[in-house]
Amino acid sequence: MNLDPAVKRDLLLALQLTACMAYADQPIMNEVPRWDGGYGVQVFQEFQWSDDLMRGNAGLPNPENLQYEKRITHLQGVYTFRKEFRVTAKLPWVEQKRRLIDKHGVTRWQRNTGVDDATLALPLRYYTNKRHYSGHIGIVPQIRFGGDDNGHYPVSDGSTDYGISMTFERETVGMKITGGVTYWFEQDSNQGNDWSIDIEIG
């Protein structure tokens, strides 16, 4: 099939952007439902793997092929009281394994499965609808809790953490731009606070 170069460019851009959106904090929940009393559920899977050994920002040699693999099944739901006010819930099921060297110098696999932290969020939004564009700005208080912290390879640190997101969206007939910044206040003394930035263009 011969496609116009502009169409090829747009398809390639869409694929690249889709690959970058895996960590969006409120994925489909941003889109629907926007009507009073609307609700929805989604299930999807995420795969992670790596064989990179790092010390800080420096890579280390890995002759023993040490690595980890993780499969996460996400169950997520949303209920919209009004388009400006909704609640979302997320519950991830994790299957993970890692190849490591034990204290005797033997390489072996370590495995664990369990529920990662459940997350409840309260997206609050102010919408604008103008002649040539629409969009919103928003704030999203969040809490995550209840993860499985049992075993030698725990799925979660087991702490209850508090987060806040700031979101933005602008949509025209030809383009949509969304962005968000999320900051988590980690309550486990062994973990540092973490944050992320999500940007989507389509």
Side-chain angles (χ1 to χ4, degrees):
M1 174 174 19
N2 293 324
L3 293 176
D4 181 89
V7 174
K8 287 182 181 179
R9 182 198 66 226
D10 291 344
L11 287 173
L12 182 59
L13 178 62
L15 288 173
Q16 291 171 338
L17 291 172
T18 300
C20 296
M21 294 191 297
Y23 293 101
D25 266 12
Q26 302 291 331
I28 302 301
M29 308 312 180
N30 283 331
E31 300 299 322
V32 292
R34 290 188 178 182
W35 57 89
D36 296 357
Y39 59 91
V41 176
Q42 65 178 4
V43 178
F44 63 94
Q45 287 199 322
E46 174 185 351
F47 297 91
Q48 300 175 8
W49 62 90
S50 178
D51 59 1
D52 294 329
L53 292 184
M54 306 292 291
R55 177 176 291 136
N57 293 325
L60 300 176
N62 187 12
E64 302 293 339
N65 193 29
L66 305 182
Q67 57 186 284
Y68 84 92
E69 300 175 16
K70 184 179 288 190
R71 182 170 69 183
I72 309 170
T73 302
H74 296 271
L75 173 61
Q76 303 184 349
V78 57
Y79 183 83
T80 303
F81 298 94
R82 297 181 353 196
K83 68 178 182 180
E84 302 87 357
F85 174 45
R86 68 190 67 187
V87 62
T88 65
K90 305 176 185 177
L91 187 65
W93 172 260
V94 176
E95 301 167 81
Q96 62 184 13
K97 66 178 182 177
R98 63 184 175 185
R99 184 183 171 101
L100 47 73
I101 300 176
D102 66 18
K103 62 183 180 181
H104 305 294
V106 177
T107 302
R108 63 185 179 85
W109 284 98
Q110 190 175 46
R111 293 174 168 81
N112 199 5
T113 60
V115 176
D116 202 349
D117 294 336
T119 303
L120 294 177
L122 193 67
L124 306 171
R125 296 192 173 139
Y126 175 74
Y127 284 94
T128 55
N129 290 292
K130 301 296 185 181
R131 182 175 179 183
H132 298 293
Y133 70 90
S134 65
H136 83 264
I137 56 173
I139 185 169
V140 187
Q142 304 180 66
I143 184 171
R144 62 187 182 192
F145 58 93
D148 184 357
D149 60 349
N150 297 318
H152 296 293
Y153 187 23
V155 170
S156 166
D157 62 20
S159 66
T160 297
D161 308 318
Y162 306 96
I164 190 77
S165 297
M166 303 296 293
T167 64
F168 164 82
E169 177 188 58
R170 185 176 177 118
E171 185 174 349
T172 69
V173 69
M175 177 173 284
K176 178 177 177 182
I177 301 172
T178 65
V181 178
T182 300
Y183 193 89
W184 283 100
F185 300 91
E186 178 65 57
Q187 302 302 299
D188 186 336
S189 59
N190 295 320
Q191 304 286 337
N193 295 343
D194 62 83
W195 63 281
S196 63
I197 296 177
D198 302 303
I199 299 174
E200 304 172 21
I201 303 173

